[in-house]
Amino acid sequence: MKNLDYYVWAIVFSIILTIICLSLAPLVPIDEPLVYVGSTGVTYNLTIPVGVSFSAFISLMIFIISILVISNSKNDFYNLIVDSSAISFIFLNYLNYYLIWYVWRPSLHILPFLIEITYDHATTIQLDIGQIVIIIFLYRLYKRLRIPRPLSGSDLK
């Protein structure tokens, strides 16, 4: 399969996987869907951000399992599973950070492999798995583009 066709199919499968993972978001068990913050006097609805976080987790688990089990396969379909789950997780991960920003309006600073979140004078640093998956995906892309292709008949002479 040509590289252009391969990555078009990877994007199509990642869209399908993202839709499937987002459809599982209502299944997340959440004890308190509404949270009242006394310092600001605002009630926040956590259903959507927690559901998207759960969807990203499912996509991440598919990526981890597929890269451990079938990453060295020469079959394009198996590699499509790995790459489409990576694209799906990357999208859902940063959609989750966008929803965190949209709901609470914290200050987000993207650092190498980390994200610093500051909200109401409290700062936390999180490992950004999305950046790690981006690096793995780009390495796989580079490796696929660098594979030597067989010469055509006219080049053999």
Side-chain angles (χ1 to χ4, degrees), residues 13-141:
F13 284 151
S14 69
I15 291 170
I16 292 169
L17 183 62
T18 302
I19 291 170
I20 291 170
C21 289
L22 283 175
S23 69
L24 297 174
L27 300 177
V28 67
I30 184 165
D31 293 337
E32 299 178 26
L34 297 176
V35 174
Y36 176 76
V37 179
S39 63
T40 59
V42 178
T43 302
Y44 295 109
N45 185 357
L46 300 181
T47 306
I48 294 174
V50 172
V52 171
S53 178
F54 179 71
S55 300
F57 175 74
I58 291 171
S59 185
L60 176 64
M61 288 300 108
I62 293 170
F63 173 73
I64 290 173
I65 291 169
S66 65
I67 202 160
L68 290 176
V69 174
I70 57 178
S71 66
N72 291 329
S73 175
K74 301 294 182 201
N75 189 340
D76 281 341
F77 179 72
Y78 293 147
N79 286 316
L80 272 173
I81 294 171
V82 175
D83 290 337
S84 62
S85 62
I87 294 169
S88 173
F89 172 71
I90 292 166
F91 173 75
L92 289 171
N93 182 53
Y94 290 109
L95 176 65
N96 185 35
Y97 281 120
Y98 171 74
L99 290 174
I100 288 171
W101 173 82
Y102 184 76
V103 170
W104 289 284
R105 301 291 179 172
S107 174
L108 296 172
H109 301 283
I110 298 177
L111 306 169
F113 303 111
L114 301 169
I115 289 188
E116 180 186 45
I117 302 172
T118 304
Y119 179 73
D120 202 21
H121 305 294
T123 301
T124 184
I125 295 179
Q126 287 185 337
L127 177 67
D128 186 9
I129 300 173
Q131 290 181 30
I132 297 169
V133 173
I134 287 172
I135 290 172
I136 293 170
F137 175 73
L138 291 176
Y139 173 73
R140 288 177 54 82
L141 174 93

Side-chain angles (χ1 to χ4, degrees), residues 134-154:
I134 287 172
I135 290 172
I136 293 170
F137 175 73
L138 291 176
Y139 173 73
R140 288 177 54 82
L141 174 93
Y142 174 76
K143 195 167 90 171
R144 181 167 177 89
L145 294 176
R146 296 294 299 163
I147 292 175
R149 301 290 177 208
L151 298 174
S152 66
S154 63

